[in-house]
Amino acid sequence: MPLNRRTFLGRSAAAAAAGAGVAIAGGGVAAAAEAAPGEGRGRSPKRYSFTVMGTTDLHGNVFNWDYFTDKEFDDKAHNDVGLAKISTLVNRIREVKGRRNTMLIDAGDTIQGTQLSYYYAKVDPITAQHGPVHPMAQSMNAIGYDAAALGNHEFNYGIPVLRKFEEQCDFPLLGANALDAKTLRPAFPPYFMKRLRTPCGRDVRVAVLGLTNPGIAIWDKANVQGKMTFPGLEEQAAKWVPKLRSMGADVVIVSAHSGSSGTSSYGDQLPYVENAAGLVAEQVAGIDAILVGHAHTEIAEYFVENKETGKKVVLSEPLKWGQRLTLFDFDLVWAKGRWVVEKVGAKVLNSNTVEEDPEITKLLGDEHEKVVAYVNQVIGKSTVAMTTAEAAWKDEPLIDLINHVQAETVKAALAGGAYAALPVLSQASCFSRSAVVPAGEVTIKDAAGLYPFENTLEARLVSGAQLKDYLEFSARYYVQTAAGAPVDTAKLTNAGGIPDYNYDVVSGPGLTYEIDIAKPAGSRVVKLSFDGKPVDGAAQFVLAVNNYRASGGGAFPHIAGSKQLWANSEEIRNTIITWVKGKGTVDPAEFAVVGWRLTRDGTPVF
């Protein structure tokens, strides 16, 4: 259905604006208020409405393009992605509401995720002398963002890249709980405050508090240890929200790179909750709305009651990659000498209902073409076509390829050392069910599609008993299915909401095991053998593992506390690309074996 005026009016009527808004970022104090509107008997109360638009988890998406397939993005729901689409939605909202009655913010994870963002961090880096301006900075500046919270993936390329990106943005990157490790003072502006001019007197002062994810301390330990520390969201919100209110904020919005579920994927390694947005709303008084990020889920509108005040706080999380735009519609009334939020609601708009903004696509057309040319470079050839379409429930050659490259790399690194004689195993996940390596020419995009994350490789020492625990934890991913019951692969995986990237296959020469999905989680791994014999609990193995898992990501047992034998700073994706270049020909006969399978009472499922 085409967009129209009614679509965008939402809950609030558009209010005329008088003059431009004035913005203050960081630790500044809001400017003095102008004369307040009069309040007399019999007069209707003064009212003002405005809209705050929000995005999150853009992950380097500017164009509606998939660089891993080198074609327009599409999925089963026919979603679209990218800031060019978001720009069109934003422009239409501003046209209806009046630009001066709107704000635009983001909840983080901006500069990592596509080959476009990778290219300008690593291939033609923004940190180089006379280097380029990052495409995400260019596009977000052009669209007119007011502020953005820091996401955990902002730290993937190191602090120098992040600081350069920050320098290139015309808006502040907020992180009230990203502290300098020595001074414990904010390393980034904690908040942003903007004055919205009203047609009836005193400005409305809107504060945006930015909060990022404590998991950064684990996931990007190599980049932030000793430099920054990341306390909990609730703690820092409780510190800053009262300050913002005392500085005259009429409205307080939190932009939080943190999901709403109250759970963590890093176990008890930190005393903070990873997905704490709901807890912030519940525990910290004085918040009107929270833009939620990090979890990659869609929450159009969700209310959480604050324990202290009983007030309901509205939360909204737009879907990742620019697939959705959140609208917070605020209705304010002048009461007792100040602006008071009378009503606030939220909804999301789907970016697949509009075309890309030609101003954005034109602005970044050259950068897009450079990256398309880069990902289409031929690096080798494959003897057969391979895909990950069934890799979530079958031992497939493409996952074996990742594990083979990782194990070879670790074995070479440990050669001649104290652990050189130990067998090397490797873990890998099915990051994408649409990855394909075609028969014939293999390009960078084919190889990179196997590993869309910027993880690096480590070697950890594990025992046979720990390996068993690790595999049992991973096997929770399958929905328990009784022997003889029909198996629907569409419903077999992701039990309890476990994402594909938190299901690990472990493989290596001599290792075999079965996962009995008829059994309850915790007792599914059977026939775990090495070189044809049951694995001895006291036996030692080297596990090639990505840094996310090694640092506690996914809360897999034993790994974060295990002995580190070696670590590399190069992305695993580049290691795979280099391996393919070196081999020239990818032949699964050299590395693909069926080392694991799903069973029920000893009978293979597939």
Side-chain angles (χ1 to χ4, degrees):
M1 184 174 68
L3 292 171
N4 53 47
R5 183 177 178 85
R6 179 177 294 176
T7 306
F8 287 96
L9 283 175
R11 296 176 175 78
S12 306
V22 180
I24 301 171
V29 180
E34 296 182 5
E39 293 179 274
R41 287 182 183 175
R43 293 183 184 179
S44 297
K46 304 295 184 181
R47 298 184 184 278
Y48 176 68
S49 298
F50 70 98
T51 295
V52 176
M53 298 172 281
T55 56
T56 191
D57 296 278
L58 293 168
H59 284 287
N61 285 281
V62 175
F63 298 85
N64 187 40
W65 195 259
D66 185 342
Y67 293 96
F68 294 125
T69 61
D70 197 25
K71 60 184 180 182
E72 184 174 309
F73 177 88
D74 195 21
D75 62 12
K76 290 181 180 178
H78 301 298
N79 288 303
D80 288 346
V81 301
L83 276 168
K85 292 268 185 172
I86 291 295
S87 183
T88 301
L89 289 174
V90 167
N91 288 339
R92 295 190 182 185
I93 294 293
R94 287 170 174 165
E95 183 180 352
V96 172
K97 304 282 187 179
R99 179 162 186 151
R100 295 183 180 118
N101 303 314
T102 66
M103 291 175 62
L104 177 60
I105 62 176
D106 184 80
D109 274 6
T110 303
I111 60 171
Q112 176 276 337
T114 65
Q115 287 292 283
L116 180 70
S117 53
Y118 176 82
Y119 187 89
Y120 288 99
K122 292 288 190 177
V123 182
D124 185 12
I126 60 174
T127 49
Q129 188 175 12
H130 309 300
V133 177
H134 199 287
M136 294 303 287
Q138 290 191 60
S139 53
M140 294 176 82
N141 289 343
I143 296 169
Y145 274 78
D146 289 291
L150 292 164
N152 54 285
H153 283 288
E154 259 67 82
F155 294 84
N156 285 174
Y157 298 118
I159 292 174
V161 170
L162 175 54
R163 287 300 190 190
K164 187 63 179 180
F165 175 69
E166 180 187 30
E167 178 187 314
Q168 293 177 341
C169 290
D170 294 340
F171 52 90
L173 301 182
L174 308 178
N177 62 328
L179 309 182
D180 180 276
K182 293 181 180 178
T183 66
L184 297 183
R185 293 178 178 175
F188 295 85
Y191 68 89
F192 168 84
M193 192 176 290
K194 185 169 184 175
R195 293 167 55 197
L196 300 178
R197 297 279 172 87
T198 74
C200 49
R202 205 197 80 174
D203 300 346
V204 170
R205 288 160 291 192
V206 183
V208 179
L209 179 68
L211 296 170
T212 192
N213 206 289
I216 295 166
I218 291 176
W219 306 321
D220 269 300
K221 181 178 179 181
N223 290 326
V224 301
Q225 188 173 34
K227 300 173 184 177
M228 293 186 191
T229 185
F230 302 88
L233 283 83
E234 309 98 304
E235 167 192 324
Q236 293 302 301
K239 172 183 177 180
W240 282 101
V241 170
K243 287 185 179 181
L244 295 173
R245 289 293 184 181
S246 70
M247 290 164 57
D250 301 298
V251 178
V252 173
I253 301 165
V254 173
S255 183
H257 193 75
S258 180
S260 62
S261 66
T263 62
S264 291
S265 69
Y266 44 69
D268 58 359
Q269 294 178 78
L270 285 176
Y272 312 119
V273 176
E274 176 183 351
N275 295 302
L279 297 175
V280 171
E282 182 182 76
Q283 297 176 15
V284 181
I287 297 169
D288 295 298
I290 301 179
L291 178 65
V292 179
H294 183 62
H296 289 204
T297 58
E298 180 177 340
I299 303 173
E301 183 184 63
Y302 173 53
F303 289 95
V304 174
E305 185 174 303
N306 182 266
K307 285 185 173 180
E308 179 181 336
T309 65
K311 174 184 173 182
K312 290 186 176 179
V313 182
V314 64
L315 284 70
S316 181
E317 181 177 4
L319 200 57
K320 64 186 184 297
W321 305 347
Q323 294 177 24
R324 303 288 186 274
L325 176 71
T326 278
L327 302 185
F328 290 110
D329 287 318
F330 289 86
D331 293 334
L332 276 61
V333 63
W334 181 262
K336 297 181 180 179
R338 66 188 183 95
W339 287 110
V340 177
V341 175
E342 186 176 48
K343 185 174 68 172
V344 57
K347 61 183 177 183
V348 295
L349 302 180
N350 194 328
S351 64
N352 73 5
T353 62
V354 297
E355 298 300 316
E356 292 184 319
D357 183 348
E359 293 298 319
I360 301 301
T361 56
K362 180 180 178 181
L363 177 68
L364 290 160
D366 289 345
E367 287 84 347
H368 174 68
E369 291 303 321
K370 282 182 181 178
V371 176
V372 168
Y374 165 73
V375 300
N376 280 288
Q377 292 179 40
V378 175
I379 56 174
K381 62 181 181 179
S382 176
T383 59
V384 296
M386 296 176 282
T387 176
T388 55
E390 297 184 329
W393 54 86
K394 289 183 182 179
D395 189 343
E396 292 284 5
L398 275 184
I399 305 301
D400 288 341
L401 174 60
I402 297 172
N403 276 330
H404 180 72
V405 172
Q406 291 182 164
E408 269 199 359
T409 303
V410 165
K411 197 164 186 65
L414 298 180
Y419 300 94
L422 291 181
V424 178
L425 308 177
S426 178
Q427 62 79 221
S429 302
C430 177
F431 293 121
S432 168
R433 299 192 188 188
S434 60
V436 174
V437 169
E441 291 184 340
V442 178
T443 63
I444 285 177
K445 74 173 186 289
D446 299 325
L450 296 178
Y451 221 105
F453 298 104
E454 270 70 55
N455 296 146
T456 57
L457 188 61
E458 296 190 17
R460 296 288 181 127
L461 184 66
V462 298
S463 69
Q466 290 173 333
L467 173 64
K468 174 71 157 49
D469 289 346
Y470 188 99
L471 291 171
E472 285 286 8
F473 186 85
S474 184
R476 300 174 309 134
Y477 172 76
Y478 294 105
V479 173
Q480 187 172 2
T481 309
V487 176
D488 181 355
T489 55
K491 300 176 181 179
L492 177 62
T493 62
N494 307 102
I498 298 170
D500 290 351
Y501 63 77
N502 273 342
Y503 169 63
D504 284 0
V505 167
V506 176
S507 63
L511 182 72
T512 57
Y513 61 95
E514 295 178 2
I515 298 174
D516 189 333
I517 60 172
K519 297 180 182 295
S523 59
R524 292 178 169 174
V525 177
V526 296
K527 299 181 181 179
L528 177 60
S529 303
F530 184 76
D531 283 346
K533 298 177 182 179
V535 168
D536 184 346
Q540 288 190 317
F541 298 90
V542 176
L543 182 65
V545 60
N546 68 52
N547 68 305
Y548 173 76
R549 193 68 80 231
S551 61
F556 276 62
H558 308 303
I559 299 303
S562 64
K563 182 179 179 62
Q564 184 190 73
L565 307 181
W566 173 83
N568 192 11
S569 61
E570 183 178 75
E571 293 94 346
I572 293 169
R573 177 168 59 209
N574 278 350
T575 301
I576 295 170
I577 291 169
T578 301
W579 185 89
V580 173
K581 284 181 177 179
K583 292 288 290 186
T585 299
V586 178
D587 183 357
E590 297 180 7
F591 56 80
V593 293
V594 178
W596 67 276
R597 58 169 51 91
L598 301 185
T599 61
R600 290 183 293 184
D601 293 344
T603 302
V605 177
F606 302 104

